[in-house]
Amino acid sequence: MTVPPLFDHLDTADEDQLPRDTASQDVGFEASGGPGVDDDAHPAGTHPRLRAWLHVEPFYWTMRVVYVCLAAGAVFAVYINGVAEGWWRAWGEKPSVAATAPAAQPTPAPTVSSEAAMSGGYQIGPDGVLVRPAQYAADTYTKPELPEEAKENTERGAEAAAEHYLTLLIYSWNTGDTQPLANMSDPSSNFAKNHIANTQEMYTNGWSYGNSVTVQEVLRLEAVSSQDGTIPPNTVGVRFRVSANNGTRCKGQSIIVDDSEHSSTITLFMTWKDNRLFIIGGVVGV
C-alpha cells in the first residue's frame, strides 16, 4: 500500500477529479433519497488523499506519533540548552535584582608600605619631623671640658674661658643641650639668653649638626673699666676673629645646608665671680 505524504498539495489532476467525485456522490445521495442511507458513507467532498491519510495502518500511525515526539523533543532540548547557556530565561522566571545588578567589586584593602616615608632623602619620623641621621646624632658630640687655664683670674684665664665658651655655643647647637652654656653665663646676660632661646626653639621641631667655629686670631684682650658700675669689676674683654660653619639645620621637614665658611668677629666679656669666670655679655660683628 502506498501512503501519501503528509500535507501533500493537490496536483492539477486531483483538482479536476475533486469536482467530479463530489458531483457523483451528490447524485448517489439524492438517488437513494431519505432513510436507509449507509451511516458509514464518507462525507461529500472528502479528498481521496485525505481519506487515504486517515485510513492508514496502525504501524504508520505509530511512526507519525514518533516523528511528532522527536520534533517536540528537539525543540525542548534547544529550550533547555538555551536556559543553561543563559540565552533566555526559563519559562515563568522573573529577573532578580541580583541577576541584573552589576556585581559589587570588593574594596581593596589599603596596603601598608614597608618603606618609611621620605622627604629630600630624609626619613620622616612619627612626629612629622625629619629623622636626624644616626651618624650625626647628638650623642656623637662630646661635651667640652673646662681647661685648667680657664680657672684662673687672669687675662690668660679670661682668654681661655672665652674660647671655651665658644665651644659650648657650638656644642649646644649640635646637641640641643643648653645647660652647660647656661652654667657659664650670668643670668642677666641677654647675649647668653638669646642664644639659649634660639637653640631651644630650633630643637622644638628640628635639630642641627655640623656647626663649627675656629678661632683664627685674638684681636684684643684687656681689662674693662667699671664705667660707673654698669660693668662689674674683674671684667676682661676678649675679641676673636673666627671662621664659622653653620652646617645642617632642620625645622619640621625643611632642611637648610650651609657648609661655607663665614669669617666674623665676636667679643666676649668675662667676669671673675664666686671663684670662677662667667660671661656677662657679648657682641658679634663682621
Side-chain angles (χ1 to χ4, degrees):
M1 177 185 290
T2 303
V3 180
L6 295 176
F7 307 111
D8 190 14
H9 294 286
L10 298 175
D11 54 20
T12 305
D14 293 332
E15 293 175 355
D16 295 339
Q17 181 65 29
L18 183 58
R20 291 194 296 271
D21 291 341
T22 305
S24 61
Q25 289 181 9
D26 291 341
V27 172
F29 180 77
E30 291 174 358
S32 61
V37 177
D38 188 2
D39 293 336
D40 292 335
H42 294 292
T46 302
H47 195 281
R49 288 178 179 271
L50 179 58
R51 293 198 299 271
W53 193 88
L54 293 173
H55 291 283
V56 296
E57 296 178 1
F59 171 78
Y60 294 103
W61 269 110
T62 304
M63 293 301 296
R64 289 168 182 170
V65 172
V66 170
Y67 294 154
V68 173
C69 292
L70 289 176
V75 173
F76 185 73
V78 172
Y79 164 76
I80 293 298
N81 185 63
V83 172
E85 294 293 336
W87 300 339
W88 47 71
R89 297 189 301 273
W91 182 266
E93 180 184 357
K94 295 182 179 180
S96 62
V97 176
T100 58
Q105 298 296 328
T107 303
T111 58
V112 179
S113 176
S114 59
E115 297 183 0
M118 302 291 287
S119 176
Y122 289 85
Q123 184 177 338
I124 300 177
D127 56 354
V129 180
L130 299 182
V131 177
R132 180 172 178 157
Q135 64 270 32
Y136 303 114
D139 56 10
T140 61
Y141 292 89
T142 304
K143 184 174 69 172
E145 294 291 337
L146 183 66
E148 290 298 324
E149 292 178 326
K151 299 177 182 179
E152 300 175 358
N153 185 18
T154 61
E155 290 186 355
R156 174 65 191 126
E159 178 187 346
E163 195 167 343
H164 175 70
Y165 193 83
L166 291 179
T167 62
L168 292 180
L169 280 174
I170 297 304
Y171 173 77
S172 67
W173 274 99
N174 287 329
T175 64
D177 182 9
T178 60
Q179 191 58 48
L181 195 66
N183 292 340
M184 198 175 178
S185 303
D186 189 273
S188 63
S189 172
N190 290 328
F191 177 85
K193 287 190 291 186
N194 289 338
H195 276 277
I196 292 173
N198 290 339
T199 302
Q200 292 175 342
E201 194 276 334
M202 181 181 64
Y203 275 84
T204 300
N205 290 300
W207 38 263
S208 177
Y209 69 84
N211 292 271
S212 64
V213 63
T214 302
V215 175
Q216 296 177 326
E217 60 178 321
V218 178
L219 297 177
R220 191 171 183 179
L221 174 62
E222 62 182 16
V224 180
S225 62
S226 63
Q227 297 182 356
D228 300 328
T230 57
I231 295 178
N234 300 318
T235 297
V236 176
V238 184
R239 179 177 294 176
F240 299 109
R241 178 170 296 281
V242 299
S243 177
N245 187 319
N246 293 327
T248 300
R249 287 171 289 168
C250 169
K251 190 64 178 177
Q253 295 183 13
S254 299
I255 293 290
I256 300 175
V257 179
D258 184 4
D259 290 330
S260 59
E261 295 292 329
H262 305 278
S263 181
S264 63
T265 63
I266 182 170
T267 302
L268 299 176
F269 297 96
M270 310 301 299
T271 297
W272 181 264
K273 181 181 178 181
D274 297 333
N275 295 321
R276 60 192 187 102
L277 289 166
F278 285 86
I279 180 176
I280 61 170
V283 178
V284 176
V286 178

